[in-house]
Amino acid sequence: AATHAGQRAGAAWPRLPPRGWALGAATVLLLAAAGWGWRQWDQARHSVGPVRLRFVLPRGQTNRQQPLLVTGRPNAGTFVYVVYAGPDRIRLGVDVWGRFHFETESLRVDYFSAHELVVDSGALYPPGDPSARPHLRLVFDGQPVFDRALDTYPSARADVTVGLNRIGGSTCEPAFSGRILGIERLPRPGPGR
């Protein structure tokens, strides 16, 4: 009886000539490839632009400078780093290799709380990207702390690191010793940013 039921179920499938099966298989492969291509394009589209970091600062690190975001490569990079200025103070720094160096005034922080930094920079776009422009803006815990026209080096996606300085340079240490809680790419800013 089981054999007859299996035969009946199989008989319910339409019989297609070999060319029909090939066409059906090609259609399925084409749709799968289109879906894969769409996901790749969508991921690439969202992988450039401003970066939002959520982190907890380490305690007991006075007078050290550690990376929060580093882009580029040796001799052509941009560093955004934190300076531990005291038990309740930090400064944020920006260094564009060989071009510019800046540190904010002392900022009061709670080392026991999570903090947020948004970095918007031309350094977060690959060469030739139409959204890139010579500008760098830092927003710390919702407050702008740095915002000016600044020529930075463009970077491929693989050349953007969070909490690590893999390109050398003496501005900051090799790694952030706090905890990174989250990393998010934000939508590309509009033309009037």
Side-chain angles (χ1 to χ4, degrees):
T3 305
H4 294 295
Q7 289 174 348
R8 273 187 254 123
W13 287 94
R15 294 193 186 271
L16 294 175
R19 183 173 170 220
W21 282 109
L23 183 60
T27 302
V28 168
L29 289 174
L30 182 63
L31 290 173
W36 178 83
W38 170 260
R39 284 190 301 279
Q40 295 300 311
W41 177 83
D42 193 51
Q43 182 180 17
R45 182 172 59 99
H46 292 293
S47 66
V48 297
V51 173
R52 178 186 300 153
L53 307 173
R54 290 192 64 249
F55 55 92
V56 175
L57 297 162
R59 294 185 287 279
Q61 304 292 318
T62 305
N63 294 323
R64 296 180 71 182
Q65 298 181 177
Q66 296 182 339
L68 292 172
L69 182 76
V70 177
T71 67
R73 54 195 187 288
N75 299 311
T78 300
F79 304 83
V80 175
Y81 60 94
V82 59
V83 179
Y84 308 113
D88 65 347
R89 299 278 178 178
I90 64 166
R91 290 189 309 277
L92 293 174
V94 172
D95 187 6
V96 180
W97 203 310
R99 295 182 179 174
F100 179 81
H101 183 260
F102 172 84
E103 289 182 5
T104 65
E105 294 183 17
S106 180
L107 305 169
R108 181 180 293 276
V109 294
D110 178 355
Y111 276 81
F112 292 93
S113 295
H115 298 282
E116 180 180 279
L117 177 66
V118 175
V119 180
D120 181 10
S121 170
L124 295 168
Y125 296 89
D129 190 291
S131 296
R133 69 182 183 107
H135 187 261
L136 194 141
R137 183 172 198 244
L138 302 178
V139 178
F140 180 70
D141 287 346
Q143 299 298 314
V145 294
F146 181 84
D147 191 357
R148 70 179 281 180
L150 184 61
D151 191 21
T152 56
Y153 300 97
S155 300
R157 285 187 305 170
D159 296 332
V160 177
T161 59
V162 172
L164 294 173
N165 172 8
R166 294 183 176 155
I167 65 172
S170 58
T171 300
C172 56
E173 298 174 25
F176 176 63
S177 61
R179 281 186 303 135
I180 302 291
L181 303 175
I183 305 161
E184 177 186 9
R185 285 282 189 161
L186 301 175
R188 294 173 187 245
R193 334 191 185 201

